[in-house]
Amino acid sequence: MRVTTPRARTLSRRSLLRTLGGGAAGLTLAGCGVPAAYIEPGERGARDRSARERRVDFANWPLYIDTDDDRPSRRPTLDAFTARTGVKVNYTEEINDNDEFFGKISPALMNRQETGRDLIVMSDWMAARFVRLGWVQQMDRARQPHVEKYLDPLLRTPAFDPGRAASVPWQSGITGIAYNRKALGREIRGVNDLWADDLRGRVTLLSGMDEAFALLMQGDGVDVTRWTRDDFHRMCDRVRTQVSRRQIRRFTGNDYIKDLSSGDVLACQAYSGDVIQLQADNPDIEFLVPEEGAELWAESLMIPDLARHKANAEALIDHYYRPEVAAELAAWVNYVCPVPAARDVLASAKDEDSNALAEDPLIFPDDAMRSRLAIARDITQEERTELAKEWNAIAGL
């Protein structure tokens, strides 16, 4: 197996995120409570052309799939699928923002029209919106034996899609704490360590509500799988206190990477995949799953309503749950692999890079780390307007 190390890629996929925690496109529709937006189960499917049209149209984020080092236009795992099945994949890197993409395809979905896409990848909180609106189809698990067998148990039962009937994780990750241990001169163990006096003005938090809230609640001892409005307001009160005492330097998107690398910030909320790449250049950067716990999230594959190649899309999803394929993808993207069995593939490879990836807990969390991970209950549409208003006022959005 050929491994592309983090150092070889200067920009991670998630570093392109510009999610704003419930942007205009989502709130306009959901906040108005448009009843016509919901699609009944019997109206979601279309006549499947998979048998006679051997293709699948797949929309994904940039930098979120393996490429050939010598021929960047080639994507080896997709090529392997085509060679094995005869199904050609029309792969586009057109998703740069959850809300932007929602706005792009929502008119078609709301009006019961085709989107021109058989597979899309959305972050948990946006995936929840699609599922609630009935804009994605349930999958036929008979066509997905590898998903059934190898999907990580931690990712099988998100609150928005119990049993993963309408979504399957593409990749996963952890929102935790990154810090420069050498520069700080001590260890950080929990969320509340961010509020220590020696970090005043040297801490950043994520600006997006959906990205930030769960970890901060966990710092208050909240079970984020069933948090309440009171938990959210209490968390906001704590953050407001830290803002008023100038503990928090600023709220950021993925530009926390620059602040941490430059030394302007010593500790911050961070995504596990970004830190793997930071560590390639600065081994003093550490990633922490706090004692109180951290959020495990996923960006998931879904099949939009009226997709014309549903069976082909289901086969492609299952392809990526073959452990050897999952291992190849994990070696390139460096996020938490949703197929734990891929670890054995990397561990048995004959090169040191693959063996090292197999032992990296930010790709394959060990048992101790897994015990502290949880998938947060999503923010419902009824809650979103109220909670986003409070959070955005704190974060200056």
Side-chain angles (χ1 to χ4, degrees):
M1 176 179 297
R2 188 174 190 179
V3 174
T4 301
T5 62
R7 184 182 294 276
R9 305 193 306 283
T10 58
L11 182 65
S12 78
R13 203 286 312 155
R14 199 168 178 90
S15 294
L16 298 177
L17 274 173
R18 300 191 308 276
T19 49
L20 298 177
L27 288 174
T28 299
L29 175 64
C32 292
V34 182
Y38 178 76
I39 307 299
E40 296 290 344
E43 300 176 2
R44 297 173 192 173
R47 181 175 296 176
D48 197 345
R49 300 174 181 171
S50 292
R52 69 176 186 270
E53 295 180 4
R54 304 298 287 160
R55 62 176 287 177
V56 59
D57 295 295
F58 182 6
N60 204 348
W61 300 76
L63 303 176
Y64 217 15
I65 199 168
D66 54 303
T67 60
D68 187 282
D69 288 346
D70 299 322
R71 296 171 58 191
S73 62
R74 287 193 61 244
R75 300 177 175 94
T77 56
L78 287 181
D79 293 343
F81 173 73
T82 299
R84 185 172 57 80
T85 65
V87 175
K88 181 179 178 181
V89 182
N90 177 31
Y91 185 84
T92 56
E93 296 183 329
E94 63 169 319
I95 305 175
N96 291 298
D97 176 89
N98 283 287
D99 282 318
E100 177 185 69
F101 190 71
F102 180 94
K104 186 175 184 177
I105 69 172
S106 60
L109 290 164
M110 190 164 32
N111 289 292
R112 296 163 173 77
Q113 298 170 351
E114 295 179 42
T115 67
R117 301 157 184 89
D118 300 306
L119 269 183
I120 60 175
V121 178
M122 293 277 95
S123 300
D124 271 345
W125 60 273
M126 182 58 80
R129 187 176 299 168
F130 275 85
V131 171
R132 280 195 296 264
L133 288 168
W135 287 4
V136 290
Q137 301 182 59
Q138 291 201 357
M139 299 182 199
D140 183 352
R141 288 289 184 256
R143 295 192 181 108
Q144 298 178 320
H146 295 94
V147 174
E148 283 287 282
K149 183 174 181 178
Y150 292 115
L151 173 58
D152 190 333
L154 285 179
L155 295 167
R156 286 181 182 265
T157 56
F160 70 87
D161 186 20
R164 288 285 183 185
S167 65
V168 175
W170 172 249
Q171 291 291 283
S172 184
I174 303 166
T175 302
I177 296 171
Y179 71 106
N180 189 320
R181 183 170 183 172
K182 182 177 180 181
L184 182 58
R186 64 178 177 83
E187 184 179 20
I188 289 179
R189 295 187 176 181
V191 175
N192 293 322
D193 290 347
L194 295 175
W195 318 136
D197 288 342
D198 61 351
L199 280 172
R200 184 166 297 175
R202 309 293 293 278
V203 173
T204 62
L205 300 180
L206 293 169
S207 58
M209 173 177 66
D210 294 273
E211 287 75 33
F213 82 96
L215 182 74
L216 298 171
M217 279 189 189
Q218 286 165 309
D220 285 337
V222 173
D223 176 356
V224 294
T225 66
R226 51 188 180 186
W227 60 270
T228 66
R229 273 185 167 92
D230 287 342
D231 295 327
F232 187 92
H233 296 319
R234 185 169 62 253
M235 176 272 292
C236 286
D237 287 341
R238 177 176 291 234
V239 175
R240 267 190 291 266
T241 297
Q242 299 305 328
V243 169
S244 67
R245 65 188 291 261
R246 299 184 178 180
Q247 184 75 14
I248 299 167
R249 184 183 183 91
R250 66 189 186 105
F251 293 82
T252 76
N254 285 84
D255 47 341
Y256 71 80
I257 295 170
K258 179 180 67 176
D259 291 342
L260 190 61
S261 298
S262 69
D264 290 338
V265 161
L266 296 181
C268 58
Q269 275 190 307
Y271 303 123
S272 54
D274 287 340
V275 175
I276 290 176
Q277 297 189 39
L278 287 171
Q279 289 171 334
D281 294 316
N282 185 350
D284 295 325
I285 301 295
E286 296 199 10
F287 183 84
L288 171 71
V289 172
E291 293 175 341
E292 307 98 331
E295 182 190 14
L296 178 69
W297 46 261
E299 288 173 329
S300 294
L301 295 148
M302 298 185 295
I303 300 174
D305 289 354
L306 305 182
R308 291 298 187 179
H309 309 100
K310 182 173 183 284
N312 291 342
E314 289 165 338
L316 180 57
I317 294 169
D318 197 61
H319 170 72
Y320 278 97
Y321 272 73
R322 293 171 177 261
E324 67 278 10
V325 178
E328 189 168 357
L329 182 61
W332 203 89
V333 300
N334 291 168
Y335 275 89
V336 174
C337 180
V339 182
R343 180 183 180 277
D344 293 337
V345 176
L346 291 168
S348 62
K350 295 180 180 179
D351 65 278
E352 293 182 359
D353 286 339
S354 294
N355 300 157
L357 290 172
E359 298 304 319
D360 192 329
L362 300 188
I363 299 176
F364 299 100
D366 57 28
D367 290 343
M369 184 180 290
R370 288 171 68 87
S371 69
R372 303 198 301 277
L373 299 176
I375 299 178
R377 174 180 75 77
D378 58 296
I379 299 171
T380 67
Q381 298 306 333
E382 293 73 25
E383 296 167 325
R384 183 165 292 276
T385 301
E386 171 197 345
L387 302 188
K389 182 178 180 180
E390 180 174 10
W391 175 259
N392 291 349
I394 297 170
L397 298 177

